[in-house]
Amino acid sequence: MFFDYLHTVCVGGALSNAKVMAELERQHHPDLTLTSPILFWDTDNCEIKCLRQYRAVIQRVFDGGNDQEKEEILKFYRSEKIKEVTGSSSIIGNRTPIMTA
């Protein structure tokens, strides 16, 4: 639902201001305190831009997270975004696809 609103606003051109986007990033994000610090070991959780970097967030959690962590990410990003990144909207056994040659 939030992403539908965000897409509408972005397409309409109202989010051309970087300050507005930064404020949205600050207010709307998954609860990363529920994730293991190991998942984002190289990044300060407060610095993660969850809207702009959604692919990286989803990939990390679905590659190394447990079902509770995946559930939190699913609640925030919704099944459409999860499926876009991982190929499936399921939590159980879902991992990001491994690139093959």
Side-chain angles (χ1 to χ4, degrees):
M1 183 168 54
F2 173 73
F3 281 100
D4 295 335
Y5 165 77
L6 183 62
H7 181 265
T8 302
V9 173
C10 288
V11 170
L15 279 184
S16 59
N17 187 335
K19 287 183 180 181
V20 174
M21 186 61 172
E23 183 62 20
L24 282 173
E25 290 277 5
R26 189 183 68 71
Q27 292 178 6
H28 301 284
H29 52 81
D31 185 359
L32 295 177
T33 63
L34 298 176
T35 63
S36 169
I38 295 170
L39 290 176
F40 299 100
W41 64 271
D42 60 343
T43 309
D44 179 358
N45 283 359
C46 297
E47 297 298 318
I48 297 172
K49 307 294 187 238
C50 293
L51 298 178
R52 286 181 253 178
Q53 300 170 329
Y54 73 92
R55 287 184 176 277
V57 171
I58 292 170
Q59 285 175 339
R60 284 205 184 187
V61 172
F62 276 78
D63 281 344
N66 61 34
D67 288 345
Q68 178 186 0
E69 294 162 333
K70 291 175 184 180
E71 184 67 40
E72 175 61 24
I73 296 303
L74 177 64
K75 282 193 303 187
F76 180 75
Y77 289 111
R78 315 292 269 182
S79 61
E80 297 82 19
K81 285 284 186 202
I82 302 300
K83 188 171 184 173
E84 176 186 328
V85 175
T86 67
S88 171
S89 58
S90 173
I91 290 176
I92 310 276
N94 189 353
R95 293 178 116 35
T96 55
I98 297 173
M99 297 174 66
T100 58

